[in-house]
């Protein structure tokens, strides 16, 4: 029977093929009481299972093709580290001894302890690391059970072009299935930022997660279509529908080929207006794509990612090392280092920040930094020291009033004079920019532009604060609207302020990489964009096909169009 079922798309693309239902046989774990003289043997059995799991992972690492991205090899390293960690390598042994129990039971007890720690975390990203703990422990359990891991089974079945379905997959399994040439995968569980999803994206493998009960609805060898653009799985469709998707696949191939040709081209519009396209990064690993895509530079380095996943604050030396590594890798392309933006939805170790009823409106970003210089001063010193080695700009997030900026400048001056007397070199004239992402700052853009070297529009927060919608709350997601006239008027105000004071204005929020709004932003006068690297070539194509002189007046009219349907109509008109 033909039907369709929906989930969350985590990796774009379309695949047609036969289903393969992956049934995992997780061993049923029971507690067994062991006599004293069997304890050492049990510990030996546990150590062997641990070693076998490590060897399995090493074998996977060796099979990775040289073209494999850093994401993939890093996850193998992360799982190997987990296996060596005290929590998995020593505590279960202690539990076997203390409880005189079987290794499976001891490992399961430790699993519960570790998972409860993850459950208490507020950070959505860290919560997804729970999957890794489960995957690693499942592998050890499998090796305890019968000495063989599910991994081996992947070589026994022909998965080529298959659409593989399961409750969940570990990242290791995704690598193996990719090597077997699967067409796509669909799971009942999982989230957009799980390692499994990250791998799917880096392999370009269409994937949908969170398809509830799919293992019950679909059996083996059913003809399926996976639409990874919309998160829909179609079962037993007719020829007409299949032909539609075959055409879509061919169209996608052509789009990719066309986009790849744009890598080396200069970026200017049809009417010869030059435009800068920068990339946003969260860490050093992202720089390879910045270079591959030939972005103009990095318009936003979210340095707070260096502060996540750890119990301590990265010190000045560690930060200098990280920033210098970024500058070196960028080989002359400019780097905008945004100072720490934690708080709000980006929580780190609990003792850093006291919990509060409304974190988005609380001590976040520059407020937190000015409240406690232990975060800020070492970072400012590190950024300044790094500036001696290449083109660096410093950007301050979430400014609300000019007084904050004055205090930032005092701290920068203090750091400069400290570094001078300590004999460090730095760029005396380092450019200082501010993120305009609070409506109050947008309304005062003129005053900020007078005091700063550049402005960067953070639309993610500007929209959140202007429209009073929590970025994290899916109940008000429907109100998220970059083309709301209030948002557009604020954006225009910021662009105009930059023009008046002759300083660059860039945009680094998601709107800057959203193909729907590029022409509108160009028409409003924006000339610098910074976005996720994955959007860069598509945006470049739009810029090159735009004649600003022809769309300017429509864009300006939009500032005073208040009806949603009319706004949408005009934007569609701009993009057609
Ligand atoms: C923004 O708010 O638009 C922005 C770029 O910063 P972040 O998403 O990190 O808050
Ligand atoms: Mg922001």
């Amino acid at each position: 029977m033909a039907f369709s079922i929906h989930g969350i798309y985590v990796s774009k693309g379309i695949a047609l093929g036969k289903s393969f239902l992956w049934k995992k046989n997780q061993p049923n774990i029971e507690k067994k009481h062991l006599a004293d003289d069997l304890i050492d043997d049990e510990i030996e059995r546990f150590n062997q299972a641990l070693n076998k799991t490590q060897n399995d992972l090493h074998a996977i690492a060796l099979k990775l093709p040289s073209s494999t991205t850093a994401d993939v090899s890093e996850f193998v390293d992360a799982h190997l580290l987990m296996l060596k960690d005290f929590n998995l390598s020593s505590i279960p042994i202690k539990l076997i001894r203390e409880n005189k129990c079987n290794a499976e039971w001891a490992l399961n007890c430790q699993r519960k302890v570790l998972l409860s720690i993850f459950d208490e975390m507020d950070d959505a990203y860290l919560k997804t690391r729970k999957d890794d703990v489960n995957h690693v422990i499942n592998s050890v359990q499998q090796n305890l059970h019968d000495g063989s891991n599910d991994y081996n089974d992947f070589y026994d079945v022909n998965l080529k072009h298959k659409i593989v379905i399961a409750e969940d997959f570990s990242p290791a399994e995704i690598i193996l299935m990719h090597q077997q040439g699967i067409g796509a995968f669909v799971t009942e569980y999982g989230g957009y930022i799980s390692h499994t999803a990250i791998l799917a994206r880096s392999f370009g493998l269409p994937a949908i997660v969170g398809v509830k009960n799919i293992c019950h609805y679909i059996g083996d060898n059913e003809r399926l279509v996976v639409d990874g653009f919309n998160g829909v799985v179609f079962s037993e469709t007719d020829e007409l529908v299949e032909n539609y998707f075959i055409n879509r696949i061919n169209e996608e191939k052509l789009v990719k080929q066309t986009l790849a040709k744009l890598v080396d081209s200069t970026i200017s519009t049809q009417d010869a207006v030059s435009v800068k396209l920068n990339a946003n990064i969260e860490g050093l690993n992202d720089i390879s794509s910045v270079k591959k895509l030939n972005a103009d530079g990095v318009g936003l380095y979210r340095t707070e990612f260096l502060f996540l996943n750890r119990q301590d604050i990265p010190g000045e030396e560690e930060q200098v090392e990280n920033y210098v590594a970024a500058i070196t890798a960028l080989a002359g392309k400019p780097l905008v280092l945004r100072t720490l933006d934690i708080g709000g939805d980006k929580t780190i170790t609990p003792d850093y920040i006291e919990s509060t009823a409304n974190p988005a409106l609380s001590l976040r970003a520059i407020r937190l930094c000015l409240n406690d210089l232990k975060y800020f001063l070492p970072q400012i010193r590190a950024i300044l020291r790094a500036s001696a080695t290449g083109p660096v700009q410093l950007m301050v997030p979430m400014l609300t009033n000019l007084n904050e900026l004055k205090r930032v400048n005092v701290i920068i001056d203090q750091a400069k004079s400290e570094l001078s007397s300590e004999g460090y070199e730095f760029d005396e004239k380092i450019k200082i920019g501010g993120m305009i992402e609070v409506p109050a700052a947008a309304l005062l853009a003129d005053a900020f532009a007078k005091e700063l070297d550049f402005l960067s529009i953070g639309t993610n927060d500007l929209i959140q604060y202007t429209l009073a919608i929590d970025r994290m709350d899916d109940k008000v997601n429907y109100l998220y609207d970059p083309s709301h006239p209030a948002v557009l008027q604020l954006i225009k105000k910021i662009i105009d302020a930059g023009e008046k004071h002759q300083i660059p204005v860039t945009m680094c929020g998601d709107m800057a990489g959203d193909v729907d709004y590029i022409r509108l932003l160009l028409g409003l006068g924006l000339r610098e964009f910074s976005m996720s690297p994955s959007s860069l070539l598509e945006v470049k194509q739009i810029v090159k096909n735009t004649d600003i002189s022809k769309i300017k007046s429509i864009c300006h009219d939009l500032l005073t169009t208040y009806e949603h349907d009319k706004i949408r109509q005009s934007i569609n008109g701009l993009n057609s």
Side-chain angles (χ1 to χ4, degrees):
M1 187 186 64
F3 68 90
S4 64
I5 178 166
H6 294 243
I8 307 163
Y9 67 88
V10 291
S11 181
K12 291 177 183 172
I14 290 164
L16 284 83
K18 290 276 172 88
S19 59
F20 181 89
L21 200 55
W22 194 269
K23 295 183 194 89
K24 299 190 192 185
N25 31 354
Q26 280 307 317
N28 189 19
I29 295 160
E30 285 174 16
K31 185 173 184 180
K32 290 183 189 148
H33 187 78
L34 302 179
D36 285 350
D37 59 346
L38 292 178
I39 302 285
D40 285 343
D41 288 349
E42 190 63 5
I43 289 171
E44 178 55 24
R45 195 170 73 85
F46 173 74
N47 282 331
Q48 278 178 11
L50 215 57
N51 286 339
K52 170 83 175 60
T53 314
Q54 281 185 20
N55 292 340
D56 288 342
L57 279 168
H58 281 301
I60 289 172
L62 285 177
K63 285 187 183 124
L64 293 175
S66 55
S67 57
T68 306
T69 60
D71 284 349
V72 181
S73 38
E74 271 168 16
F75 115 76
V76 177
D77 292 343
H79 281 201
L80 279 167
L81 276 177
M82 273 189 210
L83 284 169
K84 286 185 192 143
D85 189 90
F86 176 81
N87 278 298
L88 283 187
S89 63
S90 299
I91 302 237
I93 294 177
K94 189 167 163 265
L95 292 172
I96 295 170
R97 273 197 204 290
E98 283 173 1
N99 297 300
K100 298 185 180 171
C101 67
N102 50 328
E104 288 90 340
W105 184 261
L107 187 57
N108 231 27
C109 292
Q110 181 59 357
R111 181 205 301 258
K112 283 179 193 153
V113 171
L114 293 175
L115 295 189
S116 69
I117 297 170
F118 278 86
D119 278 338
E120 278 163 21
M121 292 176 178
D122 289 333
D123 185 294
Y125 175 77
L126 287 182
K127 271 194 168 178
T128 64
R129 300 284 75 89
K130 198 172 128 177
D131 296 345
D132 292 275
V133 174
N134 262 324
H135 292 316
V136 169
I137 292 179
N138 285 346
S139 304
V140 183
Q141 289 288 17
Q142 199 69 45
N143 280 325
L144 277 169
H145 180 58
D146 58 11
S148 79
N149 215 297
D150 260 5
Y151 299 155
N152 303 321
D153 301 347
F154 283 98
Y155 296 106
D156 298 337
V157 284
N158 183 1
L159 293 178
K160 204 160 179 65
H161 303 315
K162 290 272 164 67
I163 292 171
V164 192
I165 293 171
E167 285 188 358
D168 195 10
F169 285 116
S170 72
E173 289 165 342
I174 297 298
I175 292 176
L176 293 171
M177 293 196 305
H178 178 59
Q179 285 168 355
Q180 293 274 72
I182 67 163
F185 72 85
V186 183
T187 62
E188 295 204 359
Y189 303 107
Y192 190 81
I193 50 171
S194 69
H195 259 127
T196 301
I198 292 169
L199 287 182
R201 288 194 284 276
S202 78
F203 287 147
L205 199 58
I208 304 177
V209 303
V211 187
K212 297 291 168 244
N213 294 318
I214 186 147
C215 296
H216 297 286
Y217 294 133
I218 289 179
D220 269 332
N221 257 339
E222 284 184 31
R223 184 93 183 132
L224 299 183
V225 178
V226 171
D227 177 356
F229 288 98
N230 297 300
V232 190
V233 183
F234 297 87
S235 163
E236 303 293 352
T237 49
D238 57 25
E239 211 183 312
L240 209 67
V241 176
E242 280 214 3
N243 283 342
Y244 165 78
F245 281 108
I246 289 168
N247 285 339
R248 290 269 320 264
I249 291 174
N250 292 333
E251 280 165 22
E252 280 308 311
K253 273 189 199 149
L254 286 176
V255 168
K256 277 197 184 140
Q257 283 165 7
T258 317
L259 287 178
K261 288 186 195 140
L262 293 175
V263 165
D264 291 325
S265 62
T266 51
I267 314 164
S268 60
T269 61
Q270 301 264 301
D271 47 341
V273 177
S274 73
V275 172
K276 276 199 183 127
L277 298 184
N278 292 316
N280 294 348
I281 63 167
E282 276 83 42
L284 298 179
N285 287 335
D286 301 332
I287 294 180
S288 57
S289 39
V290 175
K291 289 166 78 180
K292 203 161 77 193
L293 296 164
N294 198 18
D296 284 312
V298 169
L300 166 65
Y301 182 178
R302 291 183 162 103
T303 62
E304 56 275 9
F305 278 79
L306 194 60
F307 291 64
L308 304 183
N309 264 335
R310 56 195 291 165
Q311 295 294 319
D312 59 340
I313 303 171
E316 180 179 320
E317 293 307 323
E318 184 183 338
Q319 290 190 57
V320 173
E321 214 174 283
N322 185 284
Y323 306 152
V324 170
I327 294 163
T328 311
L330 282 166
K333 287 181 191 280
L335 167 69
V336 176
L337 287 161
R338 175 173 78 180
T339 60
L340 189 60
D341 181 3
I342 49 173
D345 58 329
K346 275 175 271 183
T347 48
I348 54 176
T349 314
D351 13 316
Y352 278 22
I353 314 162
E354 270 176 50
S355 66
T356 167
N358 208 336
L361 301 178
S362 187
L363 270 190
R364 198 196 139 179
I366 194 59
R367 302 172 180 187
L368 180 89
C369 288
L370 290 175
N371 186 58
D372 191 341
L373 290 188
K374 79 166 176 280
Y375 306 106
F376 202 44
L377 191 56
Q379 184 171 43
I380 296 293
R381 285 176 52 103
I383 293 173
L384 284 168
R385 283 174 58 189
S387 72
T389 64
V392 163
Q393 300 179 0
L394 185 153
M395 183 161 79
V396 186
M398 215 191 163
L399 287 163
T400 307
N401 61 50
L402 283 171
N403 199 34
E404 287 170 333
L405 185 56
K406 267 192 198 142
R407 291 178 61 202
V408 168
N409 284 330
V410 168
I411 292 158
I412 293 173
D413 288 345
Q414 178 192 332
K416 281 182 175 173
S417 71
E418 281 175 13
L419 292 175
S420 294
S421 57
E422 291 164 28
Y424 285 111
E425 287 186 2
F426 57 88
D427 175 5
E428 298 270 0
K429 292 192 175 136
I430 187 169
K431 297 243 186 306
I432 314 291
M435 283 194 70
I436 306 297
E437 46 186 350
V438 175
L443 289 167
L444 297 182
D446 190 60
F448 278 104
K450 222 160 121 189
E451 304 298 329
L452 285 159
D453 298 314
F454 66 97
L455 304 180
S456 188
I457 311 174
T459 49
N460 304 339
D461 280 311
L462 187 62
I463 295 169
Q464 147 166 273
Y465 295 126
T466 305
L467 304 183
I469 46 168
D470 187 336
R471 282 166 79 154
M472 299 294 286
D473 186 349
D474 53 65
K475 289 191 282 300
V476 285
N477 222 358
Y478 71 100
L479 287 169
Y480 175 84
D481 179 12
S483 62
H484 188 295
V487 174
L488 295 183
Q489 286 182 21
L490 291 177
I491 289 174
K492 181 71 181 131
K493 211 171 176 52
I494 303 165
I495 295 170
D496 289 349
E499 213 164 277
K500 179 172 161 198
H501 295 280
Q502 302 210 317
I503 60 163
V505 173
T506 178
M507 178 180 286
C508 63
D510 274 25
M511 188 178 180
D514 188 329
V515 291
D516 273 358
Y517 302 114
I518 305 306
R519 287 210 167 130
L520 170 58
L521 293 169
L522 287 168
L524 293 179
L526 193 72
R527 298 293 176 259
E528 275 193 41
F529 299 69
S530 190
M531 66 203 75
S532 149
S534 59
S535 311
L536 212 122
L537 292 182
E538 251 182 302
V539 170
K540 194 170 188 175
Q541 188 183 41
I542 295 172
V543 171
K544 287 172 81 78
N545 290 334
T546 301
D547 186 332
I548 298 177
S549 63
K550 287 190 183 150
I551 57 168
K552 224 172 173 170
S553 67
I554 305 174
C555 297
H556 282 250
D557 287 350
L558 266 170
L559 296 171
T560 47
T561 305
Y562 303 113
E563 286 165 55
H564 188 261
D565 288 350
K566 283 196 180 146
I567 294 171
R568 280 308 338 153
Q569 221 174 8
S570 294
I571 290 177
N572 291 342
L574 280 177
N575 293 331
S576 60

